[in-house]
Amino acid sequence: MKVLVMYVEEFSYQPARKNLDDVEEITEGAQFSDSILAFIQVEESDEEKDVKSREKKLVNHLKWTARKNNCKSVILHSFAHLSESKASVDFTKELFDLAEKRLQNADFKTAQTPFGYFLDLNIKAPGFSLARIWATL
């Protein structure tokens, strides 16, 4: 799993184009502030491991990043451009849903960008050391 995490002062998206047939229709965008924005690519090799172990690893990383940025809001964004390897859609979505639930249980405010869509993104991210963190989990 590859993860690029950014602390964002402001983030918004608008659905641009649906790229998976089996997902619900989404036409409305959303806006966030003072959040951790996680660009996540789940890889094929992640499916060889238990989904719960991958979820725990991801959530621990996101919680650490949030603490370093004094933040309690996390946005999960599926971003299949960080690696050539891709996990199945079903495994990826299950991992995202489990991670979101675990974060909520730890008193984080959470959101997921629409799964199966290309999005128009607006990002305002400050330029300091821990505002952007890359990891292979």
Side-chain angles (χ1 to χ4, degrees):
M1 181 177 352
K2 307 287 191 239
V3 183
L4 174 61
V5 178
M6 294 182 187
Y7 168 76
V8 293
E9 292 172 344
E10 297 173 13
F11 169 69
S12 63
Y13 69 82
Q14 184 65 40
R17 189 173 61 118
K18 188 175 175 180
N19 68 336
L20 290 177
D21 292 333
D22 298 337
V23 297
E24 66 181 288
E25 283 295 323
I26 307 252
T27 57
E28 296 295 316
Q31 295 181 23
F32 305 90
S33 60
D34 187 30
S35 299
I36 296 300
L37 172 60
F39 290 83
I40 304 163
Q41 170 139 8
V42 184
E43 297 174 292
E44 188 176 4
S45 62
D46 291 310
E47 293 189 81
E48 298 167 6
K49 301 170 183 137
D50 178 56
V51 69
K52 292 275 192 184
S53 72
R54 304 312 298 148
E55 170 239 339
K56 185 176 180 184
K57 187 97 166 162
L58 174 61
V59 169
N60 285 345
H61 179 69
L62 296 175
K63 287 166 62 176
W64 176 84
T65 305
R67 280 193 308 273
K68 292 296 181 184
N69 285 281
N70 196 28
C71 177
K72 289 294 281 184
S73 176
V74 177
I75 305 155
L76 305 174
H77 177 63
S78 179
F79 192 70
H81 306 284
L82 299 174
S83 169
E84 292 181 12
S85 174
K86 293 177 179 67
S88 70
V89 170
D90 291 340
F91 185 88
T92 300
K93 184 62 174 140
E94 180 182 9
L95 177 60
F96 273 52
D97 291 344
L98 289 169
E100 182 173 34
K101 182 73 173 163
R102 184 182 286 252
L103 286 163
Q104 290 169 349
N105 289 341
D107 295 323
F108 281 86
K109 180 180 171 189
T110 65
Q112 290 187 48
T113 59
F115 196 82
Y117 280 82
F118 291 113
L119 306 172
D120 293 332
L121 304 177
N122 288 309
I123 300 171
K124 181 179 178 189
F128 57 86
S129 175
L130 291 174
R132 293 169 188 82
I133 300 170
W134 162 261
T136 297
L137 304 178

